[in-house]
Every structure is written in structure tokens, then in C-alpha cells.
Amino acid sequence: MAVKIRLSRFGKTKNPHYRVCVVDERKKRDGAVIEYLGQYTPKKAEGTFSVKKDRIEYWISKGAQPTRVIATLLKSSK
């Protein structure tokens, strides 16, 4: 099973907020999730991004691949 760390979209039209989640890559964008790791709100000032860094490291050590967007957000939050 290939596992990805990616965003799942919530919120209203033109007012999105996202949850950072671990999911099987074959599932839909808002499909079944293994674990929620944080949240991202791009519309607020500077974009609010908060995650559980210890759980991110755990999943990456188990072989989960972050998507391009998640990798960028993780680099900018350090």
C-alpha cells in the first residue's frame, strides 16, 4: 500500500481550509483517511499552517511520501 501525506479540502466555496492527512494514494481527495496531522488555512494572513511534526517524521520514516505542496509547506514552516 502506497501512502501519501496530502491535503484534504474543507470549507465553503472561495473560502477553503485544508487538513493535512495520511491517506492511501488510491483514495479520492476527500476519501478515507488513515490519520489527520494538522491543518492549513491559506486565506488568513500569511496562511496558517500547523502540523504535528513528530507524526510527520514518523510517517515519513515508515515510507509515506509528502506531496509537492506539503513538502513546500514543511520547508517554509521550519
Side-chain angles (χ1 to χ4, degrees):
M1 176 169 80
V3 178
K4 294 269 186 182
I5 301 171
R6 65 183 187 196
L7 296 174
S8 181
R9 189 181 195 279
F10 291 89
K12 299 178 192 176
T13 305
K14 298 187 181 183
N15 189 18
H17 65 275
Y18 299 91
R19 291 184 187 163
V20 179
C21 58
V22 178
V23 65
D24 180 6
E25 73 177 354
R26 296 170 290 186
K27 299 291 182 182
K28 295 179 181 179
R29 179 192 68 188
D30 298 333
V33 172
I34 299 170
E35 182 180 359
Y36 289 111
L37 302 177
Q39 61 186 10
Y40 172 55
T41 309
K43 289 286 189 170
K44 291 192 176 183
E46 298 124 19
T48 307
F49 181 67
S50 61
V51 291
K52 300 174 189 171
K53 293 193 183 225
D54 59 328
R55 295 304 293 170
I56 293 276
E57 291 171 4
Y58 168 79
W59 280 106
I60 290 175
S61 73
K62 293 294 183 184
Q65 295 294 313
T67 60
R68 184 176 38 115
V69 173
I70 293 294
T72 303
L73 288 170
L74 288 172
K75 284 181 184 178
S76 68
S77 69
K78 288 184 179 181

